[in-house]
Amino acid sequence: MRWPTRLLHATAAQPHAFRSLATPVYRGSTVVFDRVAGIVDDWRQKDGAYSYGLYGSPTVLELGARIAELERAFHTFILPSGQAAIALVYLALCRAGDHGLVPASAYGPNRGLAADMLKGFGIEIDVYDPAIGAGIEALIRPNTRLIWTESPGSATMEVQDIPAIVAAAKARGVPVALDNTYSAGILFDAFGHGVDISIQALTKYIGGHSDVLLGSLSVANEALYERIGAARTQLGLSVSPDEASLALRGLQTLAVRLERMEKSTLEVAHWLAARPEIDLVLHPAFPGCPGHEYWKRDFIGSASVFSILFRDEMPTDAVSTFVDALELFQMGWSWGGTTALVMLYPELKRADRDYAGRLVRFNVGLEDPADLIVDLARALSVAREKPGP
Ligand SMILES: Cc1ncc(COP(=O)(O)O)c(C=O)c1O
């Protein structure tokens, strides 16, 4: 062989006996078959019959299998982001003329997709009060194909009565999807509570270090596996093994991170609850959080994200000053990573209340909570002394 050919068809090979604790990063688009009889053209690669990189390398499939094991799901698909997982649920289950339901407390881009692109496709998604519980029955129509839940909700943290919603949906044969990102798929047992589809933004707790964007979509049964697998294939949603390997690494430390973050978050939230500037602490473990009783009944713990609502006497300018004055809490979207984050919502409305400029969301990281409390105390005094921005 001439050298250009040798570059592509090398005979140099290393022994196969290398055994590492880490799952290898398998890159590849083309899968090579040994014989014509072995050619496979199928997205179902569960049993090792690989056909094409788009449907998942061993690294990506390993991540999916591990999350399925944790969530006790029939199967878990890995997707490029949490939002991609949300979009896939809609696109797999809804067609023109169909109807769906999404809580007002759902992640904004979930509701945004429903209000814009899905509406354009002739799919009608109604927004419902997250506290609705069994009352959801009255909103289900003959053409309802999907009910979304998210518990606790984004920013306003409402915990939903998932068993009541599931019971009403099952009676009408409508699948229930849950955004279970807060729970890392662990603190709330989605499938044990009868949910049909559980998605996570792996970007948050599983990735865990604010350096990877990934999503998971877990299904309860084979029929949903077939439907969602086919839609994912048609949409060409694929994930890099490098990203998946970061999430696999994240899984190894998830237990210690969650445990430490729960403790630190409770300490910080309790300190804030005692401050005169603060009206409400929206943390599922606090009685003032809407749906606290469902959290106590259905969850095995709490996580690192929560919100506070400033009293009306605190001008919104002072709230902005407070957020600007924080130093350890850095301003940024997302949560679930190792560092403390803060976010102020200039516009935020729910049916019963306008939270604009007064609700602040925190992610408590792995810092010592005593240092975070010093940061909060200092920023509160800056806000009191110099309320304007
Ligand atoms: C509850 C929830 N679901 C889904 C997402 C979307 O995840 P991603 O950023 O990976 O698209 C987020 C991200 O902020 C989220 O907070």
Side-chain angles (χ1 to χ4, degrees), residues 63 66 70 184 186 202 204-212 245-262 336-338 366:
L63 175 61
R66 289 203 191 185
L70 273 176
I186 292 163
L202 303 182
K204 316 294 187 211
Y205 290 117
I206 310 292
H209 297 76
S210 312
D211 57 0
V212 58
S245 108
L246 287 174
L248 282 164
R249 173 187 291 206
L251 278 176
Q252 295 181 29
T253 55
L254 180 63
V256 284
R257 283 187 287 114
L258 280 180
E259 192 184 333
R260 167 71 190 264
M261 283 169 155
E262 175 177 36
T338 53
L366 296 179

Side-chain angles (χ1 to χ4, degrees), residues 48-84:
Y50 293 104
S51 56
Y52 187 46
L54 185 68
Y55 311 137
S57 64
T59 319
V60 176
L61 294 181
E62 168 91 14
L63 175 61
R66 289 203 191 185
I67 290 173
E69 206 171 87
L70 273 176
E71 294 191 9
R72 286 180 286 128
F74 177 82
H75 182 83
T76 298
F77 295 99
I78 301 299
L79 294 154
S81 67
Q83 178 65 7

